Amino acid sequence: MTAARVIRLDDVTRVYKHGLAQVEALKGISLSVDEGEYLAIVGSSGSGKSTLMNLIGLLDRPTSGIYSLNGMRVDKLHDRELSALRNGHIGFVFQSFHLLPRMTAIQNVMLPLSYRDVSRRDARALATSALRTVGLGGRQEHKPNEMSGGECQRVAIARALVGRPRLILADEPTGNLDSETTEEIMLLFEELVAMGNTLLIVTHENDVARRSNRIVRMRDGRILEDFRKEGL
């Protein structure tokens, strides 16, 4: 059975204007990602990998080209439509966690559901399940300052999972973690992919990228290499 296409980019560019100057951050990117793939986008600073992540995550728009998400063309949608699609289809994990310090773990995880038509009771049940998935079932009433960096990242991953998105985007998810905690988070990501999630990681760390099933290497706004491991 053929996997469903989650992401399709066709000849996408992104140009930023700085006064009279123009910076071409992405130069004719074409990329497809199927459901259940585990892909790492790697490259040095200025390679375009973060710009590409922002476009895929519907946080930015391409200057030209076509972007389809789950079979729907999204590059021409209005901001409100993009926001609804982003909240319903994409889960985000960031390097600095982006947890609200005054909220408990479960309150942070419930937050994305507040923008949907989900009752508080159902939202709490979904958040509890997501925290159990990441191994934090016993820490749901703790606040970020009462948890380790690894636990905070697990809360962030639970928040990404709570809406049951088809796509999880992780931007330098191990950048603030030590090597032991990085290993724990990478093992968790592998478990999530094994459960059928589609995972796309942006990283400058080769050790992190090598854990994925597919590596897209970027330089100067272009895809330099698209490598799949044998048998995939």
Side-chain angles (χ1 to χ4, degrees):
M1 185 174 178
T2 304
R5 181 67 42 83
V6 178
I7 294 167
R8 180 170 177 173
L9 302 172
D10 292 304
D11 200 24
V12 165
T13 70
R14 183 62 174 102
V15 178
Y16 296 101
K17 294 183 179 180
H18 296 282
L20 297 177
Q22 290 189 340
V23 177
E24 199 172 6
L26 296 178
K27 305 171 183 177
I29 297 292
S30 294
L31 178 72
S32 294
V33 180
D34 291 337
E35 191 170 35
E37 280 202 80
Y38 179 7
L39 182 149
I41 299 175
V42 299
S44 59
S45 178
S47 64
K49 63 184 188 299
S50 294
T51 301
L52 180 57
M53 173 71 88
N54 287 339
L55 288 182
I56 291 172
L58 306 178
L59 299 171
D60 196 4
R61 297 172 181 270
T63 303
S64 65
I66 296 173
Y67 174 24
S68 297
L69 178 67
N70 296 327
M72 177 191 301
R73 183 168 176 178
V74 298
D75 51 278
K76 299 297 185 182
L77 295 181
H78 296 297
D79 288 345
R80 183 172 295 180
E81 294 171 312
L82 287 176
S83 179
L85 195 62
R86 187 168 57 241
N87 186 253
H89 292 260
I90 303 173
F92 293 91
V93 181
F94 300 99
Q95 177 178 349
S96 54
F97 317 139
H98 288 192
L99 301 180
L100 297 180
R102 294 186 180 181
M103 287 188 171
T104 62
I106 195 165
Q107 288 170 334
N108 269 286
V109 175
M110 289 169 64
L111 195 57
L113 299 177
S114 65
Y115 301 102
R116 301 191 192 183
D117 187 20
V118 179
S119 71
R120 184 169 180 81
R121 179 179 178 180
D122 288 345
R124 189 173 183 89
L126 289 168
T128 298
S129 176
L131 284 167
R132 286 174 180 161
T133 297
V134 301
L136 289 179
R139 304 283 280 170
Q140 62 184 37
E141 298 302 332
H142 289 71
K143 294 182 178 178
N145 65 356
E146 299 171 323
M147 294 183 288
S148 67
E151 287 174 330
C152 285
Q153 191 60 293
R154 285 174 180 268
V155 173
I157 293 170
R159 182 183 56 196
L161 291 173
V162 72
R164 298 177 179 173
R166 292 187 64 182
L167 175 64
I168 301 170
L169 302 180
D171 189 2
E172 300 285 1
T174 60
N176 287 334
L177 305 177
D178 60 36
S179 57
E180 183 178 348
T181 308
T182 292
E183 176 65 18
E184 293 174 359
I185 295 301
M186 296 312 297
L187 287 172
L188 175 56
F189 280 148
E190 289 166 12
E191 291 173 10
L192 295 178
V193 173
M195 293 165 58
N197 292 286
T198 305
L199 176 63
L200 197 154
I201 291 180
V202 163
T203 182
H204 67 278
E205 300 178 69
N206 287 327
D207 288 345
V208 169
R210 279 194 288 266
R211 303 288 288 266
S212 70
N213 298 330
R214 179 182 174 193
I215 299 174
V216 170
R217 198 172 300 277
M218 297 189 66
R219 181 187 294 171
D220 299 329
R222 302 184 190 276
I223 292 177
L224 192 66
E225 181 183 29
D226 188 346
F227 171 76
R228 283 182 172 87
K229 292 184 179 177
E230 284 187 33
L232 298 173

